[in-house]
Structure formats: C-alpha cells, structure tokens
Amino acid sequence: MSYNIGIIGGGQLGMMMCEEAKKLGLTTIVLDPSSDCPCSTIADELIVGQYNDLAKLDELGSKAELLSYEFENVDGKALEMLHGKFNIPQGIQPLLDSQDRLREKDNANKHGLPTVRYHNVFTLDDLKEAIKDIGYPLIYKTRREGYDGHGQVVLKSDEDIKKVLPYLEEKALGIVEEKLDFDYECSLIMIRSHDQIIHFPVGRNIHKDGILDISAVPVKMEESTLTEMIKRSEDFMKSASYYGILTIEYFVKGDKFYFNEMAPRPHNSGHYTIEGCNTNQFRELDKFLIGERMEEPVLLSPTLMKNILGRDMKNLTKLQEIPASHLHMYHKSEERPLRKLGHITYNNLTLDEYLSYKEKLNIEE
Ligand code: ADP
Ligand code: MG
C-alpha cells in the first residue's frame, strides 16, 4: 500500500520528513498556516490553515491514511477530535504531556527520570516561596508555548523579581526551577514501535541565547552514565506508554543527568543523523508511521551540526569552507537574526576541530 502521510505543521522538521517520505515512495500532505512554509516546496499537497481550525484538520485527516505532527502546540481539543476519528500512530498523550512544562516534569519524575527542583508559580507569593526553597540562581519559564528560550527569565537576585511580574500580571501559568551549573547538555532521540525501540547516538548540544547552536556527536560521556541514560530513557517511554519518536533533552553534571524537556517529534539535535548515520530520524519516523521495521542507527564518523540562524548568514561562505559540509536551507522567506534558516552538517569533524577551523577561518559571531 502506498501511504499518504498527513503532517500537522509545515516547518523544516516537516520538510525533512517529506524528503525522506519521498525516498520511501510515500506521499505527504501538510497543514500549515503559511502558503510558503518550508514544506510548500516538497509536500505533495499543502492545506493552508490554522492548527486549531477543525475543518482544515478534518480535511487533513480525511485525505491522509495516518497523521503525525511536527508542531507541538496543536490545541488540546483539536487533538482529541483527531484522536477519536483518525489514525495517529503516535497517539496524542506524549504531545499533551509535552505541552505543559509542569505536567512534563511531574511526568518525568513519576516515570523514573530525575529533574532539577521546580515549583509551580502563579502568584508573587508562589514565586517568593520558590526562591526561599530553591535559592538563586533560578529560571522562570512559562508552562505553555515556550520554545528557543522564549518565555524564560533568569533570576540571580531579588532585583530580578520585577522581570517576572509582567507574566504574573497577565496570569500566565509558570514554573520556577533551579538554574543548574551543568557540565554540558545532550539529547537522546528514540523511536518506539509495538516490538522495537531504537535510539540515535547521543551528541553534545551547545546552546547560544537559549537556542541550539551546535550538536557534536558522539558526546564525550562516561560509558556507564551513557548506558544508564539510555536504559532509563527507554524505560521511561515504556512506563509512560509512549510510542513513536521522542527526544529527551538532558543536563549532565558529573555522573548525574537531569531531564530538562521532551519533544514527541523529530528534533533539531537529530539533524546530524541525515549524513552522520546509516539512517536518520526522519526516515525511521516515517517507517514507524507506516508500520515498517526500523533500522538500528549507527554513527558513521564523528559528526557536527551547526544551525544557521539569521545572524549566522554573514558567515555562511566561510562555514562552507570547512570540509565535508552538507548545507540544508529551509526556504524561509523572512530572515530574522534569531530565526532558524538552515543547518550545516560536517562529517568527520569533532568539536575541537570545528573550533580550530573557526579560529583559522576567522569566523566571528
Ligand atoms: P526551550 O528549548 O523550550 O526554549 P529549555 O527549557 O530547553 O526551553 O531551555 C532552553 C535552554 O536554556 C536550555 O537548553 C539550557 O541551555 C538553558 N536552560 C533551561 N533550563 C535550565 C536550567 N534549569 N538550568 C540551566 N540552564 C537551563
Ligand atoms: Mg529545549
């Protein structure tokens, strides 16, 4: 059977899902609010509409054999409607759980993954109580719709409380958590079907201004810590009854790791898998969706992925002078300094080698 995969969201993650679907002989239909979204150049069909437009979602579901999502903030009510009516191999639970940072962290702890300390914050008294309990430095985060560092405030002293007040005045739901002085960050991407669970090699993630800048794979981590992380993450998926793709972002300090957040969709830190592994996150997700057997991912060589934001465009030519580079641009019409416009993956490149190229080529950020 030739499947038509329906994808909610037409950004770069959807675009790469479509690219891989094509290679597997599948067709794709995408729902996105913008007629020139990244998927518009590759999807077989594009429905232009809002993510909470029930009629458009219904059209998407009716035209596709199965549904998936690359956008995390689909309205809960809309999701429930879809779930009752159409085939969503991944279900909607991981998406609902990931949409609220409080629920997400409670859920991680419940299923065996440690987090840093956090408090639910709705009023100024809640905030003061949290500060008293956890101590500075802290991070305030809105519970819903945060991404790429949006909706976050770092609190270093009482002076910073005023920066949170606008959120409290708007009656935003929020949490406050310990700001961990971690050694580094990493992420683990898994895909679980009814009889398989695969994971992609773990890389180190470096963020700049709360946005992913670089993933360098493999991460330099104590073997026993890495084994424990993979085991606990797989157990988490099973215990929470999640299927499909799930990325967990971790903070690592010494031999301890802390769940930061999760995403039940392909992940930016997994773009390296396209050229860095024998198979990639988009291809294996597509195979999961149509019920095909998945392949165990293997890293082919040390690989580094660099995100290209608007602010990086001035360095693009130099960045392409580093050998074995593979450029992916997302065909976005509007360029903004902090908007993700593309990425470059380098085969055979470690973080140290990348940094020395940066110096040699005079790449200034
Ligand atoms: P999002 O990716 O949804 O914007 P995150 O919670 O992942 O939100 O935060 C973005 C980045 O901010 C993280 O990758 C990390 O670099 C930093 N950060 C977030 N929470 C903490 C924390 N508790 N301690 C230290 N750094 C943090
Ligand atoms: Mg994050």
Side-chain angles (χ1 to χ4, degrees):
M1 177 168 175
S2 169
Y3 288 89
N4 194 18
I5 299 183
I7 307 172
I8 305 172
Q12 62 266 24
L13 303 173
M15 180 188 95
M16 290 181 264
M17 277 176 80
C18 292
E19 284 169 357
E20 293 302 321
K22 228 177 205 136
K23 293 183 200 162
L24 291 166
L26 310 169
T27 55
T28 48
I29 175 164
V30 168
L31 172 72
D32 193 272
S34 160
S35 62
D36 66 350
C37 63
C39 276
S40 63
T41 57
I42 175 102
D44 293 281
E45 190 177 343
L46 178 68
I47 300 174
V48 178
Q50 299 299 323
Y51 300 123
N52 57 0
D53 182 331
L54 293 182
K56 298 281 182 179
L57 286 164
D58 205 65
E59 184 187 345
L60 180 76
S62 310
K63 286 183 166 168
E65 268 84 41
L66 50 93
L67 287 182
S68 186
Y69 33 74
E70 64 102 59
F71 172 78
E72 254 167 285
N73 289 312
V74 192
D75 178 76
K77 279 210 175 56
L79 276 177
E80 268 148 31
M81 178 283 277
L82 292 173
H83 190 44
K85 210 164 162 188
F86 303 112
N87 176 17
I88 309 178
Q90 181 139 355
I92 60 170
Q93 201 55 44
L95 193 62
L96 291 172
D97 290 341
S98 72
Q99 285 180 341
D100 178 336
R101 291 189 195 276
L102 179 65
R103 181 162 164 175
E104 187 180 39
K105 284 185 206 287
D106 285 349
N107 188 59
N109 281 310
K110 182 171 143 198
H111 295 290
L113 292 179
T115 60
V116 296
R117 282 184 301 157
Y118 58 94
H119 276 242
N120 188 20
V121 169
F122 189 57
T123 63
L124 184 58
D125 281 345
D126 296 340
L127 179 62
K128 287 183 175 159
E129 186 60 37
I131 294 169
K132 210 163 85 193
D133 182 45
I134 303 174
Y136 292 113
L138 296 159
I139 306 189
Y140 172 87
K141 298 180 180 178
T142 52
R143 279 169 52 182
R144 294 188 159 269
E145 293 182 6
Y147 68 97
D148 286 347
H150 290 279
Q152 300 195 8
V153 177
V154 176
L155 294 121
K156 294 186 178 141
S157 70
D158 287 351
E159 254 303 285
D160 295 326
I161 291 179
K162 60 176 183 291
K163 298 182 195 157
V164 180
L165 295 180
Y167 291 101
L168 300 179
E169 278 155 18
E170 267 180 36
K171 303 228 175 306
L173 300 177
I175 59 167
V176 149
E177 63 185 50
E178 172 188 357
K179 185 173 190 303
L180 188 72
D181 184 21
F182 51 69
D183 298 335
Y184 55 86
E185 295 181 76
C186 66
S187 52
L188 176 63
I189 304 172
M190 299 170 283
I191 309 180
R192 180 176 177 226
S193 67
H194 68 282
D195 64 347
Q196 271 188 293
I197 182 159
I198 61 167
H199 70 267
F200 290 86
V202 177
R204 174 175 169 185
N205 297 334
I206 301 173
H207 290 79
K208 232 172 84 185
D209 302 321
I211 308 172
L212 184 68
D213 183 36
I214 283 169
S215 292
V217 198
V219 65
K220 284 187 203 158
M221 195 191 295
E222 206 56 61
E223 202 52 46
S224 56
T225 312
L226 184 59
T227 307
E228 174 81 6
M229 178 184 282
I230 294 167
K231 161 106 182 50
R232 295 272 285 273
S233 304
E234 291 184 353
D235 288 349
F236 167 77
M237 268 197 100
K238 290 177 194 160
S239 171
S241 302
Y242 291 163
Y243 289 95
I245 193 162
L246 187 79
T247 304
I248 303 181
E249 295 179 13
Y250 284 107
F251 301 139
V252 183
K253 192 170 172 68
D255 61 358
K256 295 212 162 34
F257 51 88
Y258 303 85
F259 172 104
N260 173 35
E261 62 171 353
M262 65 177 200
R265 52 157 172 80
H267 199 259
N268 192 171
S269 66
H271 292 358
Y272 87 87
T273 59
I274 297 176
E275 289 91 8
C277 292
N278 57 331
T279 186
N280 66 68
Q281 60 169 347
F282 306 100
R283 180 179 172 88
E284 294 308 315
L285 171 59
D286 287 341
K287 281 161 65 181
F288 158 78
L289 290 171
I290 61 165
E292 226 180 74
R293 196 157 178 82
M294 298 182 291
E295 199 174 335
E296 192 58 51
V298 177
L299 186 68
L300 302 175
S301 73
T303 303
L304 186 139
M305 189 278 323
K306 156 92 180 133
N307 263 344
I308 307 296
L309 274 55
R311 67 178 172 203
D312 298 304
M313 288 304 285
K314 61 181 187 300
N315 291 322
L316 193 55
T317 310
K318 284 184 182 173
L319 284 167
Q320 285 180 276
E321 284 173 34
I322 302 175
S325 75
H326 304 271
L327 178 67
H328 297 245
M329 293 304 287
Y330 306 151
H331 317 289
K332 290 186 182 171
S333 44
E334 198 192 332
E335 221 179 84
R336 291 192 301 268
L338 298 183
R339 191 169 197 212
K340 291 172 184 168
L341 302 179
H343 74 265
I344 300 187
T345 301
Y346 303 99
N347 291 125
N348 283 309
L349 193 71
T350 63
L351 184 57
D352 289 342
E353 287 163 350
Y354 171 76
L355 294 174
S356 70
Y357 268 115
K358 244 180 94 176
E359 211 173 292
K360 213 160 59 189
L361 294 167
N362 245 323
I363 299 175
E364 279 168 25
E365 294 184 2

